[in-house]
Amino acid sequence: MVHIRAFRRLMLGTVATAALVAATAGLSGCALFGGDAKAVSAPHRTPHASGTATTSPRSTPGVGILTGSPTPTATPTAPPPPAPTLTQVPAGTVVAQGSVASPKGSIHYRYRVVSTGDGMYSVEYSGFTSTVPVPVSATFLETPPSVGDGLTYHGIGDHALGGPTTAAAPQTSAVLGKKPSYLTTLVTYSSVASEDGVPVELGPNKVLAVNTVSWSIPPRQSNVHPVDGGPLVGARGAVTETTASGAPARYVVAVGDTTEKVAQRFGIPVSYLVWLNADRQVFDAQQQLYSSVTLNLNPDDL
């Protein structure tokens, strides 16, 4: 009986020793009784090109090494376009001038239109003389009336020249505003307040002289040069006017047109289209334009 117990103790000691040896040697999955013991190496890691760890017997046991991925590069973007520019006609530049004489020779004066250097124009009157017994005024109109007509609209730059004179009146001036070349006629008329006591032909607003104005406004230079690339989806409107050089000047918006596509059609950035049409509006987040609206494409018309 004693011998049996001793044998059991011996066997238990042998098993414990074998387990310790196996653990120390890195053995796993061993068959301690009657099986073949197979050693399985602990997985080793090595860097992989994608930045993930893979196994390799050459790596330090049990250590995972990750290499950094290639340095990210920013997606290339086009540089922003330069700000749109428009030169101004130099201050003092004379863009129209002439002499006025009424048909009966009762009124004489000279006029000249000059640039103020900021996109605006003014008219200067000099040498005014008059022998008519009523005050006289001058104004610019788009459509010429005839001598003897009565004015119902006092035009642009309406200015009192004065009453009867014994000597030439001092120079006076009036503002005409921007781009006045559409005003083709200078009209001299009676500005008497009442028809009482005056001849009919000198009554209030009676036209006394009509002069055609010849303009010579030099074109302003710009870095904005629209070119019509033809209709496309989102820009199917029509070019209704061109400049003297043939460049598109006016564009009528079609249904479904957007600022992006209209700008693309004419080869300019959206910011340039907005600059050319600062008073226009869109009606949704897609920047759709109101149909039938006319857009300006000519920088010189600003």
Side-chain angles (χ1 to χ4, degrees), residues 234-246:
R236 297 188 182 278
V239 173
T240 57
E241 186 179 331
T242 59
T243 66
S245 64

Side-chain angles (χ1 to χ4, degrees), residues 204-273:
N205 297 313
K206 285 294 184 176
V207 175
L208 306 176
V210 177
N211 289 77
T212 299
V213 180
S214 297
W215 296 95
S216 181
I217 300 179
R220 293 173 292 171
Q221 302 303 310
S222 174
N223 62 349
V224 178
H225 304 287
V227 176
D228 189 4
L232 49 82
V233 176
R236 297 188 182 278
V239 173
T240 57
E241 186 179 331
T242 59
T243 66
S245 64
R250 296 286 184 275
Y251 172 81
V252 177
V253 176
V255 175
D257 280 7
T258 66
T259 56
E260 179 184 3
K261 292 301 183 181
V262 171
Q264 179 181 336
R265 170 173 172 171
F266 293 102
I268 58 176
V270 171
S271 59
Y272 287 11
L273 184 65

Side-chain angles (χ1 to χ4, degrees), residues 50-86:
S50 65
T52 58
T54 57
T55 59
S56 169
R58 293 187 297 275
S59 302
T60 302
V63 178
I65 302 175
L66 291 178
T67 59
S69 61
T71 302
T73 56
T75 302
T77 58
T85 60
L86 180 65

Side-chain angles (χ1 to χ4, degrees), residues 5 93 95 176 207 261 281:
R5 290 177 179 172
T93 302
V95 298
L176 283 184
V207 175
K261 292 301 183 181
Q281 295 180 325

Side-chain angles (χ1 to χ4, degrees), residues 15 19 97 104 122 125 164 263 300:
V15 171
Q97 59 185 331
K104 294 183 178 181
S122 65
Y125 297 103
D300 196 40

